[in-house]
Amino acid sequence: MTYGDGSAPTPDFGPRAATYDERHPPISGLHEELVARGALAGRRVLDAGCGTGRFASELVDRFGCEACGIDPEPRMLAVAAGRTGARLRVEQGTAERLPVDDGSFERVTMVLSAHLVDRPQAFAECRRALEPQGFLVVAGFDPATFEGYWLNRFFPSMLAADLRRFPSAKTLELDLVDAGFAETRVTRFCAPRSLTRVAALDRIRGRQSATFDLVPEEEFRAGLKKAEAELADPVVAPDEMLIAVAAT
């Protein structure tokens, strides 16, 4: 699998499946924000790129949705399937070729997955899966904030890869319009987060972010050494995001 622009391999999420949720705490308030902005509660929702199913299972358990999670990685799907049993339907597939019928969902969500796919093709597929008056809800990190993100100043390859992968607000809006959505709205969301110096260094040493797969070994060692010398305590690391809501 490659990024949407074909410039680099996608990180391998399979080996991380069993510990992914433990190493990636949820973004405070994000799920509630997506439910509110996309009017997801009680709807038939397809979560494209569902990963371990954390959001999809919350849609079922907390918000009364009939949800289906789709992801290309079988080990992530195995975790997702164990969350809510038969109440959460999971299927292997890609956002670019969703294994669902036309117009079969009221809502489609893509949470921290749109940067890993061919967006024009994936967004067109999401539109196909939506019924009339349906919504696509997309959430991803805001690349306008990457220069100041605490990890990226130590690992230039990570910064470069993220700037290639994550769409700006304008690019996201244009991609959605090009895919045929009649109305789009992109807004920002910020959740505070901080890490102790010890936790931050542990995160680096454990290569907990999948983007570390894209950092050359020599650069990783140099970046770790620099972080050990320069990291403050605590490390302020807010989650600064873009949320797009697009109507069919």
Side-chain angles (χ1 to χ4, degrees), residues 188-242:
R188 287 174 169 79
F189 173 80
C190 182
R193 189 195 293 267
S194 66
L195 302 167
T196 66
R197 174 183 164 84
V198 170
L201 289 172
D202 284 347
R203 183 170 182 177
I204 295 173
R205 293 179 183 121
R207 306 188 196 215
Q208 292 181 11
S209 170
T211 313
F212 277 119
D213 288 0
L214 311 178
V215 176
E217 185 62 29
E218 184 176 347
E219 180 184 326
F220 174 78
R221 290 195 299 268
L224 173 58
K225 184 176 180 180
K226 183 177 181 182
E228 289 171 336
E230 297 181 9
L231 268 181
D233 192 8
V235 175
V236 178
D239 293 300
E240 299 180 86
M241 307 192 72
L242 299 174

Side-chain angles (χ1 to χ4, degrees), residues 175-191:
D175 285 347
L176 289 164
V177 170
D178 287 347
F181 286 93
E183 180 182 345
T184 66
R185 183 166 58 95
V186 182
T187 54
R188 287 174 169 79
F189 173 80
C190 182

